[in-house]
Amino acid sequence: MVNTAETTSAAAAPHTAAGSPTSDGRKARLALVGTGGRSEMYIRAVFGKHADTAELVAFSDVNPGRVEFYQGLIQELGAPGPIASFDPADLTAFIQANHIDRVVVTTPDYTHADYIVEALRAGADVVVEKPLTIDAEGCRRITKAVQETGRNVVVTFNYRYSPRNSALKEIIQSGVIGKVTSIDFSWVLDTVHGADYFRRWHREKKNSGGLLIHKASHHFDLVNWWIDDVPERVFASGGLKFYGDKNAAERGLGPRPERGTPDAGAPAGDKDPFALDLREDERLKALFLDNEHYDGYRRDQDVFTGGITIEDNLALVVEYQGGPRLSYSLNAHSPWEGYRVAVNGTEGRAELEVVERAAVLHSTDKKTVVDPSATPVEEEDAVRRNGERLVVQRHWEAAYEVPIVNGEGGHGGGDELLLSDLFNGPGEDPLGRPSGYLDGLRSVSVGIAGNQSLETSLPIRVEDLDLRVDLRRGK
């Protein structure tokens, strides 16, 4: 435990770019830890559009097969040859011996605090995928390392950069709906994307903190950012109501295989909509199925087996220091995917509705996209339509629609904007989209308090988490 005598208010470290040239004019030297699915965005950026500001010096992963997969990718991207690799256990030595400026962390959530703290203390800044970490102790360790080293941590909240979410921020910030009094926020994950969290390492809360942290930290960050406020007290309710062996037995699903990929040489058989056959996706097969023999990790566990310790239905009430209240819900087995958020103010109301996949329609002629927010899909049914709509209505006036202009790429072009800020340095941004470690703390604090509330059936005050830092704005 950290000595409470060291508890002080920490100012947010300035946001610095992951790849902008250093003070002496050279490219920033990067090391990447974790070569799973999330690392590809950074690798493509360094060997593509942002090659003039950053150099990827090395990869690192506990699984050498995945390192080799990305060695192949960088050759395809035009690299003159393979780059270095190192054992994650040697992170400190590698940073110091190779003058690494920044470490990019794309490992499983439960490892984030270890790698962040080690990289900071070894002399590097850090860029980390959300969530910052999964528990209060991890938050304390990161806070202590930031305070003692003065180095910088950037948490990549790409949802802030999505044009629809930026448009809602603009409306709230403009004051057109007045002072915010409450927020209603409902997020639904469908039976492709939602199910995927129950077949991977995320299915155990000790690995991911559950969906309140792994997934909803995105959503809580959006609310914190939209209303420019800080969470104060959290009450949560939820449970595992759809996935898992007990729920399957109650619905009479019968015996099921432990994984979606049949034994080598076996035919595919009848298509199970909840099964992930890794042989059907060239990338997943190369990253995970072909490399199981190194670490035994199974990417395709059945969602109706035992051992799942996270929730698939969640509801929260979050009270904010400035007075607003958030009513939030998450469902991970919906027939469609998207979200609805309504922001109530003293002068009116803003409503954003997003349909990312109107229906899960399985067919044999195309691959089903797992995450429709990152990879847009066009499946529609006769009633629901993919798309987004932002409507504003002031008191005593008719409603009007606010246009949303999307760019190219994932999250409506938001990923490209995020990468530009990361690798070129953020310029003047009236929306305040670049995020630092305090934003990461504010977002996970809701999930951490929510998990404690689930355990105790009591409301939890964020200050009682003892994160060793003042989360209030401007502190």
Side-chain angles (χ1 to χ4, degrees):
M1 294 290 290
V2 179
N3 189 329
T4 55
E6 297 172 351
T7 301
T8 59
S9 175
H15 184 286
T16 60
S20 58
T22 56
S23 58
D24 59 4
R26 61 177 173 81
K27 294 181 182 180
R29 292 172 62 79
L30 309 184
L32 185 145
V33 183
T35 53
R38 289 301 300 167
S39 63
E40 185 168 338
M41 178 177 75
Y42 299 95
I43 293 169
R44 288 187 178 276
V46 174
F47 286 95
K49 196 174 287 187
H50 302 286
D52 57 337
T53 63
E55 174 189 2
L56 185 59
V57 177
F59 303 124
S60 179
D61 199 293
V62 295
N63 187 304
R66 288 196 286 274
V67 171
E68 285 304 308
F69 174 86
Y70 283 111
Q71 293 284 16
L73 175 63
I74 68 170
Q75 299 302 303
E76 294 176 12
L77 296 174
I83 64 172
S85 62
F86 63 96
D87 188 325
D90 299 328
L91 178 61
T92 294
F94 190 85
I95 289 172
Q96 295 177 344
N98 293 275
H99 308 290
I100 299 300
D101 298 302
R102 297 176 185 96
V103 174
V104 179
V105 178
T106 60
T107 56
D109 302 349
Y110 70 95
T111 68
H112 284 186
D114 288 341
Y115 288 126
I116 292 169
V117 170
E118 183 174 359
L120 294 175
R121 295 200 180 282
D125 292 330
V126 176
V127 175
V128 61
E129 280 285 304
K130 64 83 193 165
L132 178 68
T133 185
I134 66 170
D135 55 26
E137 180 59 22
C139 292
R140 296 182 197 114
R141 292 174 57 212
I142 293 169
T143 293
K144 182 177 173 66
V146 169
Q147 291 171 341
E148 293 182 350
T149 67
R151 303 212 69 90
N152 189 58
V153 178
V154 174
V155 186
T156 53
F157 288 119
N158 53 356
Y159 278 16
R160 291 186 179 198
Y161 292 83
S162 178
R164 58 201 179 212
N165 296 328
S166 294
L168 179 56
K169 171 71 173 179
E170 288 179 1
I171 290 296
I172 297 169
Q173 191 168 273
S174 74
V176 70
I177 63 170
K179 181 181 178 180
V180 174
T181 60
S182 64
I183 308 97
D184 296 311
F185 196 176
S186 174
W187 200 292
V188 292
L189 297 165
D190 63 32
T191 48
V192 173
H193 191 191
D196 207 41
Y197 296 108
F198 296 84
R199 62 172 66 99
R200 297 184 281 166
W201 53 264
H202 311 69
R203 72 201 321 248
E204 295 185 68
K205 189 169 281 193
K206 67 180 183 181
N207 293 336
S208 66
L211 292 181
L212 278 185
I213 290 179
H214 177 80
K215 184 62 181 175
S217 63
H218 258 324
H219 312 157
F220 301 141
D221 176 70
L222 279 176
V223 176
N224 298 346
W225 171 65
W226 277 330
I227 67 175
D228 193 25
D229 209 337
V230 178
E232 185 173 60
R233 191 170 76 149
V234 179
F235 178 76
S237 178
L240 185 65
K241 303 296 183 182
F242 183 79
Y243 301 107
D245 55 349
K246 292 182 180 178
N247 293 316
E250 286 181 2
R251 297 199 299 276
L253 295 187
R256 298 177 59 83
E258 292 184 355
R259 62 183 307 181
T261 307
D263 292 335
D270 294 334
K271 181 64 176 176
D272 179 349
F274 285 102
L276 175 66
D277 187 340
L278 295 172
R279 302 175 307 177
E280 296 179 354
D281 186 304
E282 182 178 341
R283 182 170 177 272
L284 291 180
K285 178 180 181 297
L287 270 175
F288 300 107
L289 185 62
D290 293 347
N291 295 312
E292 278 184 11
H293 61 284
Y294 289 112
D295 56 15
Y297 173 59
R298 290 185 172 186
R299 173 66 176 76
D300 60 345
Q301 296 177 80
D302 182 57
V303 300
F304 296 113
T305 55
I308 297 174
T309 56
I310 66 173
E311 299 80 17
D312 54 23
N313 280 260
L314 291 153
L316 276 75
V317 174
V318 182
E319 297 173 353
Y320 278 80
Q321 291 177 2
R325 283 172 173 79
L326 164 67
S327 174
Y328 171 83
S329 66
L330 175 68
N331 177 283
H333 56 88
S334 170
W336 66 281
E337 178 145 335
Y339 58 99
R340 293 172 175 145
V341 57
V343 183
N344 299 298
T346 55
E347 301 293 330
R349 176 178 169 104
E351 301 171 345
L352 175 63
E353 180 174 65
V354 177
V355 178
E356 294 175 331
R357 180 158 42 210
V360 176
L361 303 175
H362 282 274
S363 62
T364 58
D365 60 345
K366 62 180 178 179
K367 183 183 74 173
T368 301
V369 171
V370 172
D371 183 355
S373 66
T375 306
V377 297
E378 297 181 357
E379 289 179 312
E380 298 180 350
D381 61 23
V383 175
R384 203 182 306 278
R385 295 286 185 271
N386 285 16
E388 54 202 6
R389 191 182 190 206
L390 175 57
V391 173
V392 176
Q393 187 166 14
R394 289 172 51 83
H395 293 156
W396 329 119
E397 297 178 8
Y400 64 91
E401 187 170 351
V402 177
I404 299 170
V405 180
N406 285 300
E408 295 295 325
H411 301 100
D415 286 353
E416 288 300 316
L417 296 174
L418 168 68
L419 289 169
S420 178
D421 270 3
L422 282 175
F423 286 95
N424 300 317
E428 291 297 322
D429 185 350
L431 299 182
R433 286 173 293 195
S435 55
Y437 102 100
L438 285 180
D439 297 299
L441 287 173
R442 293 180 184 114
S443 67
V444 297
S445 70
V446 181
I448 293 168
N451 280 332
Q452 289 192 14
S453 182
L454 289 173
E455 293 173 2
T456 64
S457 298
L458 296 171
I460 303 296
R461 297 186 68 83
V462 171
E463 68 178 5
D464 292 337
L465 300 177
D466 190 22
L467 302 185
R468 313 294 168 88
V469 66
D470 193 334
L471 297 180
R472 290 177 294 174
R473 298 290 181 187
K475 297 296 180 179

